[in-house]
Amino acid sequence: MILALLLITLLILASAAVAMVLRNLIHSALLLVLSWCGIAAFYLWAGAEFVAFAQILVYVGAISMVVLFAVLLTRPARDAELSVPAVTVLRVAAGLMAAGMVASILGLAVLTTRFSGAATRAPQLTVKDLGALLAGPHAAALLVTGVILTVALLGAVLIAAPAPAPRPEDHS
Amino acid sequence: MTPLTLCLLLSCGLFSVGLAAALTRGNAILVLLGVELMLNAANLNFIAFWRFSGGPASTGVVFVLFSLAVAAAEAAVGLALVIAVYRHQQSIRLQDAVRLKG
């Protein structure tokens, strides 16, 4: 069990780190899909099957497509380089240092904390329970999330749509 | 090392990778993907604590579901903004995007 967790950890971290270092945007996006699959595998390992398949649907299915389309739509020319221009060394060093400090602080906090009562058995949560929870105590939150999704997608279409061509009567 | 510690270290590492990407890369799409990685790290924590808390509470799973929905909305709006910026500036380098209206 711990071996599987170690393998999943290696998969997630390695593919995410390599994706963020690569110069080719398409390769980065595809490696991130692998990382998101690893996260879904972690959810499966933890016993949250519904969340795992939701993760695959949302991230591997939807967000990856949106990212790939955005990469291809923002290419200057059909045969242009997909590579990312380099940033200054100072900025990279400062960013890496900040991220390293955050990682060490968080890691030390995790390693020095004693968590009480680690359960050996996964809690049982069927899809039926989840549906009852979403339709009962969390129904208001579910409705608000639906409104947020609708408004956000309408806004995304409005922002990304090309500006309408000026009508002739506007100029006269 | 208990499995819970390992899970938390995994999410800590994923958060740091996302933070490093968001801070160092100049490409707007990669910065957005770094933010997505950080969101995923938070979701990992919710599931890890739900799995190892041992209690009957299932708030962690429900919260992750809502977080997934909001992350999808955020990605859609963010990439639409990237496309709008590209239409104005013909570039998605964040250093070039210095004007609000162009």
Side-chain angles (χ1 to χ4, degrees), chain A residues 31-46:
Chain A
L31 267 172
L32 269 178
V33 169
L34 188 65
S35 179
W36 289 329
C37 284
I39 292 171
F42 172 83
Y43 293 157
L44 274 183
W45 172 87

Side-chain angles (χ1 to χ4, degrees), chain A residues 85-88 91, chain B residues 24-27 89 91-98:
Chain A
V87 287
T88 60
R91 182 171 160 182
Chain B
T24 58
R25 302 307 297 260
N27 187 302
Q89 321 249 355
S91 152
I92 51 171
R93 288 181 77 225
L94 286 177
Q95 289 92 338
D96 296 341
V98 291

